[in-house]
Amino acid sequence: MEVTRETLIAEIVEKCPEAMPAFQAIGMHCMGCALSSGETVEQACAVHGIDPDEFLEGLNAYLLTL
């Protein structure tokens, strides 16, 4: 699965739960909460003050190793 800025957090949790540690490592601990289910990666990064491009580069590289 390739994650983009528009990918919903809920989709990632459903299709690729092994990605959760990458989110938790940057302070996104509520992967299953109601707000995150309708949030995109870009929105979540904005709320947490994370550069979405940098995060996505690392996340997608990590997912390729699985």
Side-chain angles (χ1 to χ4, degrees):
M1 170 180 194
E2 182 177 355
V3 180
T4 68
R5 286 173 169 253
E6 294 78 29
T7 306
L8 293 175
I9 301 294
E11 183 181 355
I12 298 167
V13 171
E14 179 185 323
K15 293 182 178 178
C16 203
E18 58 273 12
M20 290 179 70
F23 285 88
Q24 292 167 335
I26 60 167
M28 294 184 197
H29 298 286
C30 60
M31 296 294 295
C33 73
L35 286 177
S36 72
S37 64
E39 227 175 21
T40 65
V41 169
E42 183 171 33
Q43 291 168 326
C45 285
V47 168
H48 292 275
I50 303 296
D51 179 280
D53 294 322
E54 187 177 309
F55 175 70
L56 286 168
E57 183 179 330
L59 176 62
N60 283 312
Y62 169 73
L63 293 175
L64 285 174
T65 67
L66 300 177

